């Protein structure tokens, strides 16, 4: 973690708002899912944002998580080595983020490496893991392990096909969004060129 001095003023207010978005209950659910998804040989961290950050910070667990969502032999991260070197740990986090995006997590749902590494925005880390769990549940390809109530299914496209005749009929119909001309008349209107008569 980088050694930074305390923040003041607006920077401090912004950081406090970011920290308020962190959800301890969600942390517990995510830890349970990661342990279940990766297998039982991962030790759970003690509750708390700092412990959650330290548990994920080296990138090893994240890489194992994304690999567990793929069939054997098709894992996106081929080599996961545990190393104390900071650069290598940040590289593993970056590999996880690239693999998560390739898996189907939307770019706007993906955190930045420093959000986890420096603990700047752990709520963003939670959002990424939630999005990953939702995509895994939605794919329903047999690789998701865990309680199905932990995540929401993403909506699927519901494409409709219309015949040429139905499309032609739709062009002749005035939609209610355009309003209605029922009861409309020009009674009581005066032309612009005519002077109004005063009675």
């Amino acid at each position: 973690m980088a050694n930074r001095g305390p923040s003041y003023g607006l920077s401090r207010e912004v950081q406090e708002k970011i920290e308020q978005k962190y959800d301890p209950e969600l942390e517990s659910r995510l830890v349970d899912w990661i342990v279940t998804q990766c297998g039982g040989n991962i030790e759970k961290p003690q509750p708390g944002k700092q412990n959650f950050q330290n548990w994920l910070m080296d990138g090893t667990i994240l890489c194992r998580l994304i690999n567990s969502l793929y069939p054997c032999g098709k894992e996106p991260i081929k080599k996961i080595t545990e190393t104390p070197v900071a650069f290598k740990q940040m590289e593993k986090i970056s590999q996880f983020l690239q693999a998560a995006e390739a898996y189907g997590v939307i770019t706007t749902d993906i955190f930045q490496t420093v959000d986890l590494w420096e603990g700047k925005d752990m709520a963003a880390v939670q959002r990424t893991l939630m999005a990953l769990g939702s995509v895994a549940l939605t794919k329903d390809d047999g690789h998701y392990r865990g309680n199905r109530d932990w995540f929401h299914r993403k909506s699927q496209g519901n494409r409709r096909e219309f015949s040429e005749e139905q499309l032609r009929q739709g062009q002749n119909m005035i939609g209610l969004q355009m309003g209605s001309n029922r009861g409309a008349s020009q009674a009581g209107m005066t032309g612009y060129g005519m002077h109004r008569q005063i009675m």
Side-chain angles (χ1 to χ4, degrees), residues 56-123:
L56 297 176
M57 197 165 75
D58 73 345
T60 304
I61 292 173
L62 293 174
C63 291
R64 287 180 60 187
L65 174 64
I66 195 70
N67 279 352
S68 71
L69 296 171
Y70 283 87
C72 227
K74 297 195 176 186
E75 295 92 349
I77 302 171
K78 303 296 181 201
K79 188 176 180 185
I80 305 171
T81 55
E82 294 190 30
T83 176
V85 179
F87 173 75
K88 291 290 186 183
Q89 291 177 351
M90 291 178 78
E91 188 176 305
K92 283 193 283 188
I93 295 170
S94 180
Q95 287 176 334
F96 163 77
L97 295 174
Q98 289 171 355
E101 189 172 358
Y103 188 71
V105 177
I106 301 169
T107 308
T108 55
D109 286 340
I110 292 182
F111 66 88
Q112 300 293 315
T113 304
V114 293
D115 291 339
L116 173 58
W117 181 255
E118 295 181 3
K120 289 279 187 194
D121 191 358
M122 290 303 292

